[in-house]
Amino acid sequence: MTQPVSAESAPPRQTDAPATEPAGPIEPRSEAGKRVSEETYWTRYYLEADIQYEWNDGVLEEKPVSDFETYCIYVWLLRLLDTFLKAEPLGKLVGLEMGFRLPLPNKVVIRKPDLAVVRNDNPGVLLPVDVAYHGVYDLCIEALSTTKPAHIHRDRVQKHGEYAAGGVPEYYILHADPERRAFYSRNDSGLYEPIPPQDGVIHSRALPGFRFRLADLLAQPADEALRDDPIYADFVLAGWRADRERAEGERLRAEAERVRAQAAEREAEQQRRRAEQERRRAEELAARLRMLGQDPDTQAPPDS
């Protein structure tokens, strides 16, 4: 008995219709929801270029796309984090969909946070050749997609629980709507608790010294506006500020040298004038002695 061929595996049927050029590039078909082994995920889907997938205990989950306003918040915070880690090299900033494996009590997941940080003292070493992180991130950041309720649930509920259970110390959820944002820190019980803003400022516990004003997530001020802001002055444009302070120090040193040179010039002028006055006095005295018929060269100079 002939076995039926499934529609997915059957070859396309030939038709008499003439072949036509495709109207445009063929959109890749999402395989979200498909069950695959972890080995298959790593070898076939992890580095998939067209569609980014995460792996949830055997099931492929497509990474959704955030709206542009949320993306701008993500980029601004990324740049702020990068600036901070250059001024305070506590760890490494990770992006480019670099995933990490979380063996949880009830399942295994492989997640690709939109942004992450590995501290230098993290026991999981991040090597330059790694395409996945073999440890647990110290900070995970997700840019929330609201295109589907399932996407919201994944970041706000599912990953919230997974990251906490997996030991991620800090977790941020970004969105243009302030009501949809969240900033969590893991407590001693292994649960996330919201990071309370201090005067509207979030202070990271995983990265001591890193902080940002919540209102600035939407305002996104440029670096030039942040460099003298007391919230950011410790690390924003630290190199620029060091150069400015160095230039100011050089200017002050040059000014002090100019003042010393002027003082030395004045002293030299005063000495020249005193010498000129002494020379004139000597000439006048010699002239008077000659008038008296005396040789000035044989006379002792008078006491001053």
Side-chain angles (χ1 to χ4, degrees), residues 4-281:
V5 179
S6 68
E8 290 185 359
S9 60
R13 295 176 177 173
Q14 298 290 335
T15 66
D16 295 333
T20 59
E21 292 295 326
I26 300 174
E27 291 292 329
R29 183 172 62 88
S30 174
E31 297 186 62
K34 182 177 181 179
R35 296 197 66 87
V36 300
S37 68
E38 182 176 352
E39 181 181 1
T40 300
Y41 170 76
W42 285 115
T43 57
R44 179 177 173 184
Y45 294 97
Y46 177 72
L47 296 176
E48 173 68 43
D50 294 322
I51 299 176
Q52 289 291 327
Y53 293 105
E54 296 176 311
W55 190 79
N56 184 4
D57 203 30
V59 179
L60 294 178
E61 292 182 344
E62 183 178 342
K63 285 275 292 181
V65 178
S66 304
D67 59 62
F68 181 67
E69 193 172 14
T70 298
Y71 168 77
C72 291
I73 292 173
Y74 161 85
V75 171
W76 185 84
L77 191 63
L78 182 154
R79 291 179 61 240
L80 191 70
L81 259 172
D82 183 58
T83 300
F84 172 78
L85 290 174
K86 286 177 179 176
E88 301 289 340
L90 301 177
K92 300 176 182 66
L93 190 61
V94 178
L96 298 177
E97 309 293 349
M98 184 176 284
F100 70 127
R101 185 178 187 271
L102 285 175
L104 304 175
N106 59 335
K107 63 177 182 178
V108 175
V109 297
I110 301 169
R111 293 302 185 191
K112 294 180 174 182
D114 294 318
L115 193 61
V117 173
V118 179
R119 283 177 51 119
N120 294 333
D121 57 1
N122 192 310
V125 179
L126 179 63
L127 300 176
V129 296
D130 285 343
V131 295
Y133 178 50
H134 304 285
V136 177
Y137 287 125
D138 294 286
L139 168 63
C140 286
I141 300 176
E142 301 285 1
L144 181 67
S145 172
T146 55
T147 53
K148 294 180 180 180
H151 298 162
I152 301 173
H153 182 271
R154 188 183 305 166
D155 283 350
R156 294 186 64 86
V157 179
Q158 195 171 331
K159 289 187 179 181
H160 175 278
E162 292 170 355
Y163 288 167
V168 177
E170 212 156 271
Y171 176 38
Y172 298 169
I173 301 174
L174 304 179
H175 194 266
D177 182 356
E179 296 298 320
R180 295 186 182 274
R181 296 181 206 141
F183 306 93
Y184 299 108
S185 180
R186 192 170 182 264
N187 61 24
D188 294 338
S189 300
L191 302 175
Y192 279 143
E193 56 187 15
I195 300 175
Q198 300 176 24
D199 297 324
V201 176
I202 293 292
H203 292 258
S204 173
R205 298 172 184 172
L207 299 173
F210 179 66
R211 54 194 178 271
F212 55 92
R213 191 179 289 108
L214 288 171
D216 289 338
L217 292 175
L218 279 179
Q220 298 160 29
D223 290 347
E224 290 75 11
L226 299 179
R227 63 193 181 196
D228 294 318
D229 188 319
I231 299 299
Y232 307 102
D234 289 346
F235 60 89
V236 170
L237 291 180
W240 179 91
R241 286 172 36 246
D243 290 342
R244 183 179 64 175
E245 291 170 359
R246 184 164 48 251
E248 178 65 11
E250 291 175 357
R251 187 191 68 80
L252 292 175
R253 285 192 293 272
E255 177 66 15
E257 183 62 30
R258 185 184 66 81
V259 171
R260 284 195 295 269
Q262 289 178 342
E265 186 177 349
R266 287 194 298 268
E267 177 64 23
E269 178 64 19
Q270 290 174 357
Q271 290 179 359
R272 187 189 66 77
R273 289 179 179 177
R274 284 196 294 268
E276 180 65 17
Q277 290 174 354
E278 290 296 330
R279 184 185 65 79
R280 289 179 179 178
R281 285 180 58 197

